[in-house]
Amino acid sequence: MTRVTILVDVQNIYYTSREAFQRNFDYNAFWRQVTDGRTVVKAIAYAIDRGDEKQRQFQNILRAIGFEVKLKPFIQRADGSAKGDWDVGITLDAIEYGQYSDLLVLASGDGDFDLLAQKLITKYETEVEVYGVEGLTALALRNAASRFIAIDEALLLAKH
């Protein structure tokens, strides 16, 4: 059975799905798709913690699905901009668990991960599947990945 590590950049997936489809990503459908016939080595969802109840409920849903949820505090800078970036954490975990996996699934459209995908493929011979929104996923990441899977209707929650 294929050993898979699943890493989700929650903010990136949330904002790109909302921008492209005005809908939310369906984590249950995603989990079913990426784990079908595969053994999960590790599954982590990286999120920003704003401390509100609705967000806590969402994090609990992710945990119930099977994800470990890693949180960073939301930081509002003096100039009004915000900081909440998991790129280094995702990269460290991808290297740590990816080397023991046949496949690393990365849900993110962030082009900063292109070097990570290349490293996993060349150094560890780990395939990299990238899930992202078509048109909002960096071309460099798509090109670096073993496979790009576009988020579509099947991976979105129904409109309310």
Side-chain angles (χ1 to χ4, degrees), residues 16 108-110 130-142 148:
T16 57
S108 179
D110 189 333
V130 170
Y131 279 74
V133 173
E134 188 97 49
L136 295 176
T137 298
L139 190 57
L141 179 58
R142 291 176 62 166
F148 171 73

Side-chain angles (χ1 to χ4, degrees), residues 102-114:
D102 303 305
L103 172 67
L104 184 119
V105 172
L106 175 63
S108 179
D110 189 333
D112 290 341
F113 294 123
D114 65 334

